[in-house]
Amino acid sequence: MDSLVADELDLQLLQALQLDGRAAFSRIAGVLGVSDQTVARRYARLRTSGGLRVIGVTDGTRLGRTRWYLRLSCTPDAAEGLATALARRPDTSWVGLTSGGTEVLCVMVARSRDERDSLLFDKLQRTPRVTAVSAHCLLHTFYGGSLGWFTKSRILAPEQVAALAPPPVDPPGADPVVLDATDELLLAALERDGRTPVTELRKVTGQSESAVRRRLEQLRRSGVLFVDVQFDSGLIGYETKATLWLTVTPSALASVGAALAEHREIVFAAAITGPSNVVAVAVCRDTSGLYRYLSERIGALDGVQQVETAPILRQVKQLTYEGPR
C-alpha cells in the first residue's frame, strides 16, 4: 500500500459510509460541504492506500441461523494453514490469529445443524496439530453488525448524521426471513462490493432495475442486509487489537454489555455460552492504551469477575477471503 495520512475529511467520509455505505457521492458531498469529485477522489484514495472496502453483510440471525465463536488451539506451525483453510469456507465470516500464533479465532454462521456438526465434530477433530477446540454460541449482540467502529468517531455533527442515516430497520419477525435464488445472487454480489450499482445488480440477478431497488430496500429494512466499512485502523493511529473474554456475573450481563457498547474502544461485544460469558473486540492506539482501557474502564465495571486478553496478531478473513494479511 502507498503511505496514507488520513485527515478530517477522510474520517468524515469513513463515518458517512458507515452510516450508509450505498449513499450516492452527491448526497455525501452535500452533507460534508464539498464537491462530488472531492468525495470520489477521497474514496478512491482510501481504497488504494488504506484498504477501504464497503461490503454488504448478511445478518444470519434474521435468517434463523446461529453464530458460533470458535477458539482453536494448535501448534505454531499449523496456525496459519488452519486459518487459511477456515477462511476459504463459505460458512465463516471472520478468522484471526491470536496468542502468539498458537490460537485461531473463527466466527462461523452455519446454515444448518448438519453443516455445524460436520465442522465441529468431524473436520476440526480430525485436523492434525489442533490440540483443543472450544465452541461458544453467540446469544446476544450488544454492539456490532451495522453499528461499526466508525459510528463512534463522532466526527460528524448530529445534523449530518441524521441526514445520512438510512431508514430504520424493522424489529425481527416471529419467523425467519426466507431468501430466494435471486436474493442469494444479490447478496453475493454486494458481499464483493457493497456499492455495486443497481445497473450491475440488474445484470447479476436478471431482474429489472426497479425490482432490484425494491428488493434491496426490503432486505435492508428487514435487517437481513446491512452495509459495513472495513479499513486499516492502524492508518489512523489505532495499532492494537485484542479479543477480550470476560467472565461476568449473570445478573450484570445486560449492564456490562450496555457499558461496553458505549466504549469508544469496542468494535464488537456479545453474550456467549461458556465459562467466559461475554466476548468483545477492542481497538486501541497502542499497548499502553490497551492497558489503560483494561485497568480503568473494564476494571471499573461492576459484575466483571475475570478478563482474559488475547491480542489479535493478524486478521485473515473478514467476510470475504482475500488471503492472509
Side-chain angles (χ1 to χ4, degrees):
M1 290 184 183
D2 299 330
S3 60
L4 171 72
V5 178
D7 61 15
E8 182 175 356
L9 181 57
D10 292 324
L11 297 178
Q12 289 178 328
L13 177 55
L14 288 170
Q15 187 179 357
L17 291 169
Q18 185 74 74
L19 289 165
D20 187 355
R22 288 191 60 82
F25 286 157
S26 58
R27 181 179 166 208
I28 295 174
V31 172
L32 300 187
V34 297
S35 69
D36 301 8
Q37 293 80 8
T38 296
V39 171
R41 284 197 302 268
R42 289 302 182 104
Y43 178 77
R45 172 173 170 264
L46 291 172
R47 289 193 66 181
T48 302
S49 301
L52 170 66
R53 295 177 66 228
V54 178
I55 59 173
V57 182
T58 303
D59 185 348
T61 60
R62 295 290 180 126
L63 303 175
R65 301 169 188 169
T66 302
R67 290 179 296 169
W68 291 81
Y69 221 103
L70 310 182
R71 299 185 72 176
L72 312 173
S73 298
C74 55
T75 57
D77 60 319
E80 188 163 335
L82 175 61
T84 301
L86 287 168
R88 292 195 179 106
R89 293 179 59 94
D91 56 357
T92 61
S93 61
W94 191 94
V95 180
L97 294 171
T98 69
S99 302
T102 60
E103 182 176 82
V104 176
L105 294 182
C106 170
V107 177
M108 178 184 69
V109 186
R111 290 173 176 256
S112 66
R113 181 181 299 178
D114 289 344
E115 191 176 84
R116 177 201 66 189
D117 292 349
S118 173
L119 178 61
L120 294 181
F121 301 134
D122 185 14
K123 291 182 173 63
L124 290 177
Q125 299 295 340
R126 297 182 183 182
T127 301
R129 296 188 291 279
V130 173
T131 58
V133 177
S134 178
H136 309 266
C137 180
L138 272 72
L139 304 176
H140 178 76
T141 300
F142 299 115
Y143 193 86
S146 61
L147 298 173
W149 187 55
F150 290 105
T151 304
K152 297 181 176 181
S153 66
R154 296 175 183 171
I155 196 164
L156 295 179
E159 60 272 18
Q160 291 175 305
V161 171
L164 287 165
V169 175
D170 295 333
D175 298 317
V177 176
V178 178
L179 302 178
D180 61 22
T182 299
D183 294 331
E184 297 280 8
L185 291 172
L186 187 61
L187 293 170
L190 291 168
E191 185 176 310
R192 293 187 291 271
D193 181 359
R195 291 186 62 84
T196 301
V198 171
T199 52
E200 293 299 319
L201 295 174
R202 176 185 65 79
K203 297 175 185 177
V204 169
T205 61
Q207 303 292 307
S208 67
E209 290 189 22
S210 58
V212 169
R213 292 182 191 278
R214 284 196 302 272
R215 192 54 183 155
L216 269 176
E217 182 181 352
Q218 291 168 354
L219 289 170
R220 296 185 74 177
R221 186 173 287 279
S222 70
V224 169
L225 170 68
F226 63 89
V227 184
D228 195 21
V229 171
Q230 297 178 4
F231 185 75
D232 183 357
S233 61
L235 295 176
I236 54 175
Y238 290 81
E239 300 278 359
T240 300
K241 299 180 182 179
T243 301
L244 311 180
W245 301 91
L246 281 63
T247 303
V248 177
T249 304
S251 61
L253 267 176
S255 61
V256 168
L260 291 173
E262 294 296 321
H263 290 178
R264 174 70 176 94
E265 296 83 356
I266 293 298
V267 179
F268 171 79
I272 57 172
T273 59
S276 299
N277 50 4
V278 172
V279 64
V281 176
V283 178
C284 300
R285 290 192 177 276
D286 48 30
T287 53
S288 295
L290 178 59
Y291 169 75
R292 289 192 297 274
Y293 176 62
L294 291 171
S295 61
E296 297 173 9
R297 306 205 70 186
I298 296 294
L301 295 178
D302 291 335
V304 175
Q305 301 174 323
Q306 184 175 335
V307 180
E308 177 187 354
T309 308
I312 299 173
L313 306 180
R314 184 187 305 165
Q315 180 179 296
V316 180
K317 178 180 183 179
Q318 187 169 348
L319 291 175
T320 303
Y321 179 61
E322 296 183 329
R325 283 178 279 176

